Amino acid sequence: MAARSLRRFGTVLPFGGAPRRGSLYFRGSPCVFSTAAQQRSTGDECGPEDPRDEPKHPLSDCALEHKAIKLEEQVRDLTERYRKALADSENVRRRTQKFVEDAKLFGIQSFCRDLVEVADILEKTAESAAEEAEPSNPNPTLNKIYEGLSLIEAKLQSVFAKHGLQKMNPVGGKYDPYDHEIVCHVPAEGMQPGTIALVTQDGYKLHGRTIRHALVGVAVESQE
């Protein structure tokens, strides 16, 4: 029945015009119906091109050389920055270490300033006891007091030296404004002008740093 119906409407013809299985040609109309396989084949041929098949353009030698030069400049810049950062960190470490060492050495500086005043009082007391304990005034009690004060003074100076605290002995030396403070001028009798002739108060240094200036009298030329 189906074959008879198709013969009524048209004749089976091939796609190219000659009779071929798979195509239908209707009388009075040029329409041709192709099979599904032919449509798929035609659609694949007319599809978009694969982008991977496009030709690639590699970088030229000049562009590669320019890029290499730029990378070398960046490496040099980063290396210089690293060296500067390393030097800064080393300076900070040294300053911190110096600060810690100074704190250990000079942490007792204010205590030493107070303690040298006690040493001054002890020294003056010993000198007074020495004047009273003269051979013309034999007093065994004063002699014992003087001997005891002398031992205490010597022991105190020994403790000072143990902890880096030293008394200055500037008599006969040159005047130094960082260590000495002038309180008077005296005639230069047998001394060079500008040298220290006497000391009214002893000065002290803690590990080479002056913690109390010596009060001194400087020799000057006598004016006749």
Side-chain angles (χ1 to χ4, degrees):
M1 294 293 293
R4 294 176 181 176
S5 300
L6 289 174
R7 290 192 188 96
R8 292 177 183 177
F9 293 96
T11 304
V12 178
L13 293 176
F15 183 73
R20 188 176 63 178
R21 184 181 299 176
S23 298
L24 296 177
Y25 179 82
F26 292 92
R27 294 175 181 174
S29 174
C31 295
V32 178
F33 292 88
S34 63
T35 62
Q38 290 174 340
Q39 292 179 358
R40 284 197 299 269
S41 177
T42 305
D44 291 341
E45 293 175 357
C46 299
E49 296 181 356
D50 191 351
R52 291 176 296 180
D53 296 337
E54 295 180 358
K56 296 182 179 179
H57 302 282
L59 294 174
S60 62
D61 293 341
C62 182
L64 289 174
E65 184 178 357
H66 179 72
K67 189 174 182 179
I69 294 174
K70 191 173 182 180
L71 289 174
E72 289 178 358
E73 291 177 355
Q74 291 178 357
V75 169
R76 284 195 296 268
D77 183 57
L78 291 175
T79 304
E80 186 66 22
R81 289 184 182 181
Y82 170 74
R83 289 177 179 175
K84 288 181 179 179
L86 191 63
D88 291 341
S89 63
E90 181 65 18
N91 291 334
V92 171
R93 187 190 66 81
R94 290 179 180 178
R95 285 196 298 267
T96 304
Q97 184 177 2
K98 183 67 168 59
F99 178 78
V100 173
E101 291 176 356
D102 289 347
K104 291 179 180 179
L105 291 176
F106 304 107
I108 59 173
Q109 183 170 327
S110 59
F111 174 72
C112 290
R113 285 198 188 101
D114 296 335
L115 198 58
V116 295
E117 294 181 2
V118 178
D120 291 341
I121 296 172
L122 182 61
E123 183 179 2
K124 290 178 181 179
T125 305
E127 290 175 356
S128 299
E131 292 175 358
E132 294 294 333
E134 290 181 354
S136 60
N137 185 16
N139 190 333
T141 304
L142 287 176
N143 289 332
K144 290 180 179 179
I145 292 174
Y146 171 70
E147 290 176 0
L149 290 175
S150 298
L151 291 174
I152 293 172
E153 184 180 5
K155 183 62 177 178
L156 187 61
Q157 293 298 327
S158 175
V159 173
F160 284 175
K162 180 180 178 181
H163 293 280
L165 184 61
Q166 294 180 345
K167 182 193 292 187
M168 300 181 192
N169 296 312
V171 176
K174 290 289 184 180
Y175 167 74
D176 187 348
Y178 295 101
D179 296 333
H180 313 133
E181 183 179 346
I182 300 175
V183 293
C184 62
H185 291 88
V186 296
E189 297 178 357
M191 299 183 69
Q192 256 186 345
T195 58
I196 297 173
L198 59 91
V199 177
T200 61
Q201 186 183 66
D202 293 323
Y204 283 87
K205 286 185 176 183
L206 179 63
H207 296 290
R209 178 187 293 181
T210 301
I211 63 170
R212 192 177 77 171
H213 290 73
L215 303 182
V216 300
V218 179
V220 294
E221 294 182 358
S222 58
Q223 296 179 356
E224 297 180 355

